[in-house]
Amino acid sequence: MRTSNWILTAALAGTIGAGSMSVGSMSAWAQASGSPAPAAATSAPAPAQDATQTAPAPDQSAGQSVQGQPAQAQNGAQQAIPAPPPTVAPTTMDQVVNLFIQREHGLIKVLSARTPVVETYLQNLANDPQLGPVPSEDHYFLGRLDMGETVDRKDYLKEENQSMQARLLGGFHKLYKVEYQPTGFSWMVYADRTDFDREHYDFAYIRREFLGDVRCLVFDVKPKAKSGRGRFLGRVWVEDQDFNIVRLNGTYSQAARNTFFFHMDSWRLNLIPGYWVPAFIYSEEGDFSAGVKNKLAFKAQTRIWGYDLKKGGKDDELTNIRVDSVQDNSAAAQDASPLQAEREWQQQAEDNVVERLTAAGLLAPEGDVDHILQTVVNNLEVTNNIDLPRPVRTRVLLTAPLETFSVGNTIVISRGLIDVLPDEASLAAVLSHELAHIVLGHNLGSKYAFNDRMLFSDDSTYSNLGFKHIPEEEAAADKKAVDLLKNSPYAQKLDNVGLFLKALQARTPQLSALLTTHLGNPLAEGGTVSRLTALESQGPALDNSKLDQIAALPLGGRIKINPWDDKAEMVKTAPVAITSARDKMPFEVTPFYPRLARFGTGAPAAAPTTAAANGNTGN
Ligand SMILES: [Zn+2]
């Protein structure tokens, strides 16, 4: 394995082996600068935490399910949701059907007051002779899902007065009148919100099947004749302990003439005792076999998170207030100097923004991924003798579009961007640009220290916050970033960064939605990569036919988000060999295939591993 002297690489991880996309989990990323120690070894960083060591299940303190009866929730986040009544073991499949109908209604009721964040990212497809169906254009939607009576969505992106339908489908809505039941890609969170019962549906037991660690009973569901338009038609997987639906797959039937219902694959996770909450929906249309004339071809991922967003902290405030009567009377207590006051002020602005973005469901709470990101930043700092008055922090933006920005000393990088980066050096490259802004003093704006500027509705976050730099600062940050990288543990791996930038350039014209940033400066503008362009010419030419050349990954292969508490973790996957250029799928969406597990079992309950991740990445 080729490594620089500064990096202790984990065995085999992080390498790109011939014919296998073994790019390493993030635990293999972010190996700290270690022995032999670099010049500034006095502040040598601790090794990155091994993501595989962390407990992936959401809050296990709430207790385990015992014999199919969910434990009563213990912590505050879960007190709001009463565990369902114990299930009497059914003896016939008819009773099972009655149970899961009942549990579906229970879920609808329990979630009716929730307004999670919903994101849909859609890629229209065109056929490429070598690569098969590839993105030809893309569309993005981010909003809040009202799980109340209508399952309605509220839009974060208010532009051009375009409806969600028009934005997602682009020109397609002119070709096909697309019928939504009730609203676009969010509709398959439930099979049928109003009439999921025996009067409207026939149920047929098919077989038993494991999904991940969870044994399921599989049923086909068909609407009865004359039960009306837009009824669910497909298959449901029902876990065999509490009889909750954990997966739905199918479409809606009896569309009107010239209308169209999408096919959907909808997955739920057992994130709270007794309930499986909707988390991922994959949709795909299109047939590229010979002779097919249907022009509608796309694939789309919908993710739902932020079920337990703190609403202004009202309840929290009353329970968490600590009266601190101890005054600091020591001699060391001094007034702030003008410079100290200025730094306090900037810190306040930074804290305000981080807190507000977290409350809006856009930033993950601080977690294990940040330790890995901070290790990479630290590697850059240590080897460049950077000593800042305040430490650099990192946070994960929960959304898919590829973007980074920094506010004060906090560097933010999007989930989508971490997903597609092929290796640690590429991660270091995108982080180095933001570190350069910090080092160059570009982030000293402090208007967000005024708290009134944080008082806006969540869905207007993007119009109230923004961290874009002027072109001169962008150019200066890029130049500084290259200097930092060339004097870092990643200096010998900048060929990989060049390759990533080439792959990005190759897909930039087709992925304008993925490259449209909402808070920071874009990585590409006008169809051309604009970030770190000095590195783009480094390294070999992009060559799709070289199976060992992995320049960029599909979306979804690195970061998994717990939809209940928004915590970000690293995906764990096993390597699977790439057998053709079509397996690479850079920047593409793929089906979801989460490894299902019961709440509190310590298994990765919130593992939105995509099919591509299963197939392509791992260590
Ligand atoms: Zn910048």
Side-chain angles (χ1 to χ4, degrees):
M1 179 181 291
R2 289 160 287 122
T3 63
S4 86
N5 283 337
W6 307 121
I7 302 185
L8 299 165
T9 36
L12 293 179
T15 60
I16 295 174
S20 131
M21 198 187 282
S22 178
V23 293
S25 73
M26 276 278 261
S27 60
W29 288 22
Q31 302 304 320
S33 297
S35 81
T42 46
S43 54
Q49 275 208 348
D50 186 347
T52 62
Q53 301 284 320
T54 61
D59 197 348
Q60 297 181 32
S61 67
Q64 310 244 337
S65 279
V66 179
Q67 294 183 340
Q69 299 185 14
Q72 287 298 324
Q74 300 293 317
N75 67 16
Q78 285 150 12
Q79 272 169 5
I81 299 218
T87 305
V88 178
T91 51
T92 66
M93 283 303 165
D94 251 14
Q95 289 171 352
V96 170
V97 171
N98 289 342
L99 276 171
F100 74 70
I101 288 175
Q102 189 188 324
R103 298 310 288 260
E104 186 73 357
H105 291 166
L107 178 75
I108 290 169
K109 191 160 173 243
V110 151
L111 294 182
S112 62
R114 305 273 158 176
T115 55
V117 178
V118 59
E119 175 192 66
T120 297
Y121 177 57
L122 180 150
Q123 294 179 330
N124 291 323
L125 303 174
N127 202 34
D128 177 273
Q130 183 193 16
L131 300 174
V134 294
S136 56
E137 62 167 335
D138 64 346
H139 300 279
Y140 182 72
F141 177 88
L142 183 71
R144 287 296 270 277
L145 193 59
D146 185 344
M147 307 285 281
E149 289 194 359
T150 55
V151 192
D152 205 358
R153 305 165 63 135
K154 213 171 182 188
D155 202 335
Y156 273 65
L157 311 169
K158 295 178 171 59
E159 5 170 9
E160 307 139 33
N161 244 346
Q162 268 195 332
S163 69
M164 185 273 286
Q165 174 178 336
R167 187 170 316 119
L168 277 178
L169 296 174
F172 281 133
H173 74 287
K174 294 181 188 109
L175 295 173
Y176 296 83
K177 183 166 170 272
V178 177
E179 203 169 291
Y180 291 94
Q181 178 72 20
T183 37
F185 290 84
S186 55
W187 43 253
M188 213 182 252
V189 294
Y190 304 124
D192 185 327
R193 203 185 181 293
T194 50
D195 298 311
F196 192 60
D197 53 36
R198 287 182 180 278
E199 279 154 54
H200 294 82
Y201 290 96
D202 289 320
F203 300 90
Y205 170 71
I206 303 300
R207 63 167 180 268
R208 286 176 196 275
E209 189 178 310
F210 270 95
L211 292 180
D213 302 335
V214 177
R215 194 170 60 178
C216 296
L217 305 165
V218 184
F219 291 84
D220 276 349
V221 181
K222 280 186 203 160
K224 286 192 192 290
K226 295 182 182 165
S227 61
R229 289 194 199 288
R231 296 288 177 204
F232 175 69
L233 170 67
R235 180 163 286 195
V236 295
W237 283 253
V238 178
E239 47 90 13
D240 72 350
Q241 206 172 82
D242 298 324
F243 303 97
N244 291 294
I245 295 176
V246 302
R247 181 186 182 191
L248 307 117
N249 177 302
T251 187
Y252 288 81
S253 72
Q254 291 160 2
R257 248 173 68 105
N258 299 323
T259 65
F260 191 83
F261 284 120
F262 300 141
H263 288 86
M264 298 269 173
D265 189 26
S266 178
W267 293 79
R268 297 173 177 178
L269 299 177
N270 193 190
L271 302 177
I272 48 172
Y275 295 97
W276 290 70
V277 297
F280 313 109
I281 303 164
Y282 177 71
S283 189
E284 181 184 288
E285 298 293 339
D287 184 350
F288 289 99
S289 45
V292 173
K293 291 260 163 58
N294 188 348
K295 285 182 185 150
L296 183 71
F298 70 80
K299 48 186 181 178
Q301 284 186 342
T302 295
R303 291 159 194 266
I304 304 171
W305 69 81
Y307 278 100
D308 202 27
L309 288 176
K310 298 286 175 290
K311 285 279 160 262
K314 273 182 220 148
D315 297 339
D316 278 4
E317 271 170 37
L318 287 175
T319 51
N320 288 347
I321 283 176
R322 289 198 190 93
V323 180
D324 195 349
S325 60
V326 182
Q327 284 191 325
D328 187 356
N329 294 321
S330 69
Q334 293 167 344
D335 295 326
S337 73
L339 181 58
Q340 280 170 331
E342 177 65 24
R343 283 183 181 152
E344 286 291 329
W345 186 240
Q346 286 159 6
Q347 179 77 58
Q348 189 177 326
E350 180 181 333
D351 291 347
N352 277 352
V353 168
V354 167
E355 197 177 296
R356 188 67 192 84
L357 286 173
T358 308
L362 294 173
L363 272 195
E366 197 170 3
D368 295 335
V369 177
D370 296 314
H371 300 153
I372 291 163
L373 300 175
Q374 270 156 13
T375 302
V376 173
V377 171
N378 211 19
N379 286 346
L380 292 165
E381 288 186 281
V382 165
T383 48
N384 283 282
N385 294 315
I386 294 169
D387 190 13
L388 296 163
R390 293 192 287 128
V392 173
R393 306 184 294 180
T394 59
R395 295 292 281 272
V396 177
L397 191 69
L398 294 164
T399 49
L402 313 186
E403 82 176 291
T404 63
F405 62 89
S406 44
V407 49
N409 278 26
T410 297
I411 296 175
V412 177
I413 177 170
S414 67
R415 161 180 59 80
L417 182 52
I418 299 175
D419 276 348
V420 300
L421 292 170
D423 63 354
E424 185 178 333
S426 307
L427 176 65
V430 296
L431 293 173
S432 69
H433 174 92
E434 300 302 338
L435 179 62
H437 279 308
I438 293 169
V439 169
L440 295 172
H442 292 169
N443 291 351
L444 298 184
S446 55
K447 66 174 179 174
Y448 299 122
F450 290 105
N451 287 69
D452 62 287
R453 292 202 163 103
M454 297 297 120
L455 299 177
F456 48 81
S457 65
D458 289 352
D459 53 31
S460 63
T461 302
Y462 286 163
S463 46
N464 281 278
L465 297 181
F467 312 99
K468 288 191 169 74
H469 289 281
I470 57 174
E472 291 77 10
E473 289 182 351
E474 281 301 284
D478 265 354
K479 187 168 178 296
K480 180 73 179 174
V482 173
D483 291 346
L484 296 178
L485 289 166
K486 289 194 168 157
N487 193 34
S488 81
Y490 310 103
Q492 306 307 312
K493 299 201 165 178
L494 297 183
D495 282 5
N496 296 358
V497 182
L499 205 51
F500 171 74
L501 293 169
K502 284 179 201 128
L504 184 62
Q505 180 57 56
R507 288 284 171 96
T508 288
Q510 291 81 39
L511 301 179
S512 61
L514 190 65
L515 287 163
T516 298
T517 55
H518 301 285
L519 294 166
N521 289 90
L523 299 185
E525 279 175 290
T528 308
V529 170
S530 52
R531 182 71 54 90
L532 296 168
T533 47
L535 296 175
E536 201 179 329
S537 56
Q538 283 224 207
L542 194 63
D543 186 349
N544 289 325
S545 63
K546 279 191 177 162
L547 296 186
D548 61 342
Q549 188 189 81
I550 307 301
L553 305 184
L555 288 163
R558 290 217 187 266
I559 299 286
K560 59 186 180 187
I561 306 293
N562 180 315
W564 196 259
D565 61 17
D566 289 0
K567 282 184 183 147
E569 288 174 40
M570 303 311 305
V571 166
K572 278 167 270 175
T573 52
V576 174
I578 281 184
T579 56
S580 82
R582 296 186 180 200
D583 286 346
K584 292 186 180 181
M585 300 184 287
F587 308 106
E588 293 182 29
V589 300
T590 65
F592 292 110
Y593 226 88
R595 182 171 180 82
L596 299 189
R598 294 187 182 282
F599 179 81
T601 57
T609 308
T610 64
N614 277 331
N616 289 336
T617 68
N619 62 347

